[in-house]
Amino acid sequence: MYIFFDCPAFRQKSRLQFVGLPSNPVHHVKLNPTSVRSHDEFNTLLLLSASSRMPLLTFWTASWCPSCRVIKPIIRDAVEGGIGEGRGGVGFAEIEFDAPGMGGLGLKYFINSMPSLLSFTRQEAQLKTMITNVDEMKDREFLKMWIEEEARRGGSGGAGGGAGLFSGLFGLGKQ
């Protein structure tokens, strides 16, 4: 049984619905099977993910991508099957890269191949753990380990983009 979070302001602006497990709705937020097609929807998901201290797994897809259609049910089954729930849970969203309302959002997060799996923790893209290899996405055991690792991270971050684009220039990338 699921509980629907009811936020009137959000409901008026978006067609997305969020559900939570009855045991702890704050920490087990899930997205009903709906694709994200705008910046506003994506930003709302990031905010909900950050406020619940739960990673948001994003599956970047495009209408012209045949591999995406093969991978999508595998990933959805894994997430909806409860993988990662024992480690705190994850949120999931399918991002339509080529939707008219997306603009350059994929470029902002270095999405340069379809399909791509990218996790967000505290609104930070976990670029070091991004998956673009279709064979890895088809491997259910690999996918299970990846989802559990992202769930384990919870709200603590840890695999973001590093110190930034110019870290080498200013010595910030040295350890």
Side-chain angles (χ1 to χ4, degrees):
M1 181 175 168
Y2 290 104
I3 298 171
F4 286 85
F5 288 99
D6 191 18
C7 175
F10 180 67
R11 192 174 3 131
Q12 291 174 356
K13 294 182 178 183
S14 177
R15 58 188 169 66
L16 300 176
Q17 293 178 315
F18 299 87
V19 295
L21 298 176
S23 61
N24 192 344
V26 173
H27 294 293
H28 294 283
V29 177
K30 288 188 179 181
L31 173 66
N32 273 350
T34 300
S35 298
V36 174
R37 297 186 189 114
S38 74
H39 283 268
D40 289 340
E41 290 175 350
F42 182 74
N43 289 332
T44 301
L45 284 173
L46 285 179
L47 288 170
L48 285 170
S49 170
S51 68
S52 66
R53 302 187 64 74
M54 182 187 324
L56 175 65
L57 306 183
T58 57
F59 177 63
W60 295 76
T61 183
S63 60
W64 47 263
C65 173
S67 298
C68 298
R69 288 189 287 276
V70 171
I71 300 298
K72 183 168 123 178
I74 296 170
I75 294 169
R76 198 170 264 175
D77 287 348
V79 173
E80 290 176 355
I83 294 176
E85 287 294 322
R87 297 188 176 254
V90 296
F92 174 76
E94 179 184 328
I95 312 297
E96 290 188 19
F97 182 80
D98 59 348
M102 293 307 279
L105 188 64
L107 297 174
K108 179 179 179 181
Y109 297 111
F110 303 102
I111 304 297
N112 55 18
S113 67
M114 293 294 136
S116 292
L117 274 172
L118 178 61
S119 177
F120 288 83
T121 303
R122 294 178 296 147
Q123 299 182 356
E124 177 184 345
Q126 305 300 301
L127 297 173
K128 293 180 183 177
T129 63
M130 180 167 57
I131 301 172
T132 57
N133 184 325
V134 173
D135 292 331
E136 288 179 344
M137 289 183 212
K138 287 181 182 177
D139 182 350
R140 292 177 191 271
E141 196 57 38
F142 177 84
L143 199 57
K144 178 182 176 185
M145 288 187 315
W146 182 79
I147 293 171
E148 286 180 350
E149 180 63 24
E150 296 303 317
R152 183 194 60 76
R153 186 185 334 276
S156 65
L165 226 49
F166 301 107
S167 61
L169 292 175
F170 302 107
L172 299 173
K174 296 178 183 174
Q175 302 216 8

